[in-house]
Amino acid sequence: DSGVTQTPKHLITATGQRVTLRCSPRSGDLSVYWYQQSLDQGLQFLIQYYNGEERAKGNILERFSAQQFPDLHSELNLSSLELGDSALYFCASSVAGGGWVGTDTQYFGPGTRLTVL
Amino acid sequence: ILNVEQSPQSLHVQEGDSTNFTCSFPSSNFYALHWYRWETAKSPEALFVMTLNGDEKKKGRISATLNTKEGYSYLYIKGSQPEDSATYLCASTGSGGYQKVTFGTGTKLQVIP
């Protein structure tokens, strides 16, 4: 158990809908990262927040957005869902803001499996 | 090399055998290389992060080396055990920063008892 929690574990929804995925980082970690893992694309970095502010952006679609709240939990909002958005969404956290550029160890949550029908 | 490539895609070894696999990454504008271990139905677990050419890291029976000039990293497992069965992922970051993070597709290791 990494100490990172994600809810819900599974989510099934229809095309065109909007969903919110939630992540609570490990106690003391200030950075939260979101990743998408789909069958045909492998693991892709979406976005990072550090202490409430966006720190880095990866391959995140405009239909997706995220935020990190004062209590450091984060939400990933996915809207106008398409079939291709079906994937496993991981959240990870790290102590500082170094992330990929530095040597911060990232601790991954168990993931949320999103199925869009 | 434009992308991060890992080889082999999958590997079956006998318990007790030592094994190694490769991660190739763009050597230009390189900044950092991460290795992860990902067991089925679990989440990725960080193994190593390396930044310097010639760097070697070790964690128990697992070790990794880095050659930034030629753009490759090796992961070695000594005396493989069934519990080492997992997918081993590497990810490279270019000096462009976060937006140049690229994952490989992983090497799936199966250790046969």
Side-chain angles (χ1 to χ4, degrees):
Chain A
D1 183 0
S2 66
V4 179
T5 61
Q6 289 186 249
T7 56
K9 200 168 180 178
H10 300 278
L11 196 48
I12 300 174
T13 188
T15 54
Q17 295 298 306
R18 174 190 166 93
V19 296
T20 297
L21 312 184
R22 184 189 166 106
C23 168
S24 292
R26 292 187 325 150
S27 175
D29 284 1
L30 298 179
S31 272
V32 169
Y33 311 78
W34 286 98
Y35 296 89
Q36 180 193 56
Q37 199 241 345
S38 52
L39 280 173
D40 58 344
Q41 295 230 17
L43 196 58
Q44 300 234 352
F45 167 66
L46 295 177
I47 197 163
Q48 179 200 358
Y49 276 81
Y50 172 67
N51 207 19
E53 297 196 2
E54 183 184 303
R55 178 74 188 262
K57 234 174 190 175
N59 300 317
I60 188 165
L61 299 172
E62 283 189 17
R63 300 182 285 109
F64 297 0
S65 64
Q67 52 185 327
Q68 187 179 27
F69 295 87
D71 67 352
L72 300 176
H73 90 270
S74 177
E75 293 181 356
L76 179 68
N77 301 297
L78 315 176
S79 61
S80 303
L81 285 167
E82 301 174 1
L83 295 176
D85 297 327
S86 295
L88 191 52
Y89 290 85
F90 284 106
C91 162
S93 72
S94 72
V95 171
W100 289 102
V101 179
T103 57
D104 260 12
T105 294
Q106 294 188 27
Y107 298 87
F108 278 74
T112 292
R113 182 166 294 283
L114 173 66
T115 302
V116 182
L117 301 174
Chain B
I1 292 194
L2 298 178
N3 294 314
V4 177
E5 297 169 1
Q6 290 188 248
S7 62
Q9 258 190 342
S10 66
L11 193 54
H12 291 76
V13 301
Q14 291 291 133
E15 182 176 352
D17 286 351
S18 294
T19 188
N20 66 85
F21 13 97
T22 306
C23 171
S24 301
F25 54 87
S27 55
S28 60
N29 300 319
F30 168 83
Y31 198 96
L33 192 284
H34 294 246
W35 278 103
Y36 280 85
R37 180 172 177 276
W38 195 355
E39 289 182 69
T40 303
K42 293 192 177 178
S43 37
E45 175 196 348
L47 286 174
F48 306 113
V49 57
M50 295 181 288
T51 56
L52 300 174
N53 186 43
D55 213 0
E56 287 189 35
K57 294 276 175 101
K58 189 173 179 183
K59 194 177 199 176
R61 293 177 293 99
I62 304 177
S63 59
T65 61
L66 180 67
N67 183 321
T68 60
K69 293 184 178 178
E70 295 180 44
Y72 65 84
S73 175
Y74 292 139
L75 189 80
Y76 300 91
I77 303 179
K78 188 176 175 183
S80 303
Q81 298 297 308
E83 58 265 30
D84 295 329
S85 297
T87 295
Y88 292 82
L89 278 179
C90 67
S92 169
T93 305
S95 60
Y98 302 91
Q99 295 193 33
K100 302 232 183 251
V101 171
T102 308
F103 278 91
T105 50
T107 292
K108 187 168 184 175
L109 174 67
Q110 183 77 34
V111 181
I112 303 159

